[in-house]
Amino acid sequence: MSGSGTAPRRAPTGHPEYPPTPAGGALAKAGPPSAGRHVTRTWQVTADPGGGEGPVLTPTGTTTSVLGTAHRARGYGRSMSIDAVVWDIDDTIFDYTAADRAGMRDHLVAEGLLDGHPSVEQALARWREITDAQWARFSAGETDWQGQRRERVRVFLGEPLSDSEADAWFDRYVTHYECAWTLFPDVLPVLDSLVVSHRHAVLSNSSLLVQDRKLRVLGVRDRFEAILCAVELGVSKPAAAAFHAACEALDLPPHRVAYVGDHPEIDGRGAAEAGLLSVWIDRDGAHLASDGPPTGPHRISSLTELPALLGTDTRFGAWSTFG
C-alpha cells in the first residue's frame, strides 16, 4: 500500500519480512455479536484444493440467538468449560525474536558487515530500531510493503542502493532468518497433552500466506483446524471482531474459547475484553502483574501451565501465582 502521510492509520498487519496477501481470501470480515445476542456463522471446510494452500473455510450461513444474562457480561469473574484454544503464533509458539536475531547475525557475518559495528548486540539493536521505525511508516500509509523493506536496508547500510540491490540484500537476509525458525520447546508437549480434550485454531495479525507456510515448515500445520489472519479478515487484534471471528470459525461462543498470546494488551487484554478466556504468556517475566483488581488475562510463564489452567474451574481475570 502506498500513500501520503495523511492516509488513515491502520493496525499493523502482515509481516515486515513478507508481502501481505490480497484481501478477499478464504475468510471474510466479521463483526462482534450484538449486545445480548450471539451471532453464529457456519463454515464449510473444504479439503486442500491443490497447490499446497491447505483447507479452505467458506461461510454458509448465519444464525442469531438471545443470550442469557450470564453470557452478556464481559468475560470476568465467571467459571466456564473451555472447548477450544486459539493461538497467537509469533513469540507464542514460534520463537520469532530469536529467529530474527540469529538470522540477522548470520547474515551480517556472511555479508562481512560486523566489523562496521561496535558489537553484534549493537548491530542487532540498530536493525530492530530501524525495522520498528519503517514498519510504523508502513502502518501509517506512508510507504508500501516493498518500500519499508528497501528503506530498512538503505538506512541500515547508509547507502543509496537501487531497488534491485536492496531487494537482493533483503532476500539474502530472509534466507538466514528462515534457517533459524524453531518452535519453543514447550509447544509440542502441550499440544500433545491437549489434542484429545480441546480443538485448536490460530488467530494472527499477520497474513495467511506467511503463517500457513510457517506452520507447515515447523511441522504443526495439521494441529490447527482453522487459521485466521488479519489481512484476510480485514480486522486485527485487539479488536473484539478479530477474536469473535475465530470463535465463529470454530462455531463456539467466546466464553467457550481460550486465547493464548504473548502481548499483554493486543493479545491478553484484547481477548479478555472480547469475552474469551484470556491467557497471556510472559516467557521472560518482563512485565509485572497488576496490583489492581484482577480484570486482565491469566498470566503464565510457560505453556506447561496451560493444561492445568484449562482443566480447572477457571475464572476470567485471575492472575497466575508465578511472579
Side-chain angles (χ1 to χ4, degrees), residues 28 36 209 272 282:
L209 173 69
D282 183 20

Side-chain angles (χ1 to χ4, degrees), residues 30-73:
S34 302
R37 296 177 181 272
H38 174 65
V39 180
T40 300
R41 288 179 174 82
T42 55
W43 302 75
Q44 176 66 43
V45 181
T46 305
D48 191 336
E53 296 299 324
V56 174
L57 287 171
T58 305
T60 59
T62 302
T63 59
T64 303
S65 58
V66 178
L67 298 178
T69 56
H71 291 163
R72 295 182 186 178

Side-chain angles (χ1 to χ4, degrees), residues 67 71 78 80-82 247 253-257 275-277 316:
L67 298 178
H71 291 163
R78 288 190 283 109
M80 68 216 62
S81 174
I82 300 299
C247 297
H255 70 278
R256 302 292 290 274
V257 179
L276 288 74
L277 173 62
F316 281 100

Side-chain angles (χ1 to χ4, degrees), residues 61 83 101 109 117 120-121 156 210 256 261 276 281:
D83 297 321
R101 290 171 58 82
V109 170
H117 299 273
V120 173
E121 288 302 315
F156 184 77
V210 171
R256 302 292 290 274
L276 288 74
I281 181 164

Side-chain angles (χ1 to χ4, degrees), residues 205-222:
N205 269 5
S206 183
S207 71
L208 191 61
L209 173 69
V210 171
Q211 301 297 43
D212 185 88
R213 176 174 176 270
K214 184 182 293 177
L215 293 173
R216 291 178 188 276
V217 171
L218 294 170
V220 293
R221 174 60 183 85
D222 61 347

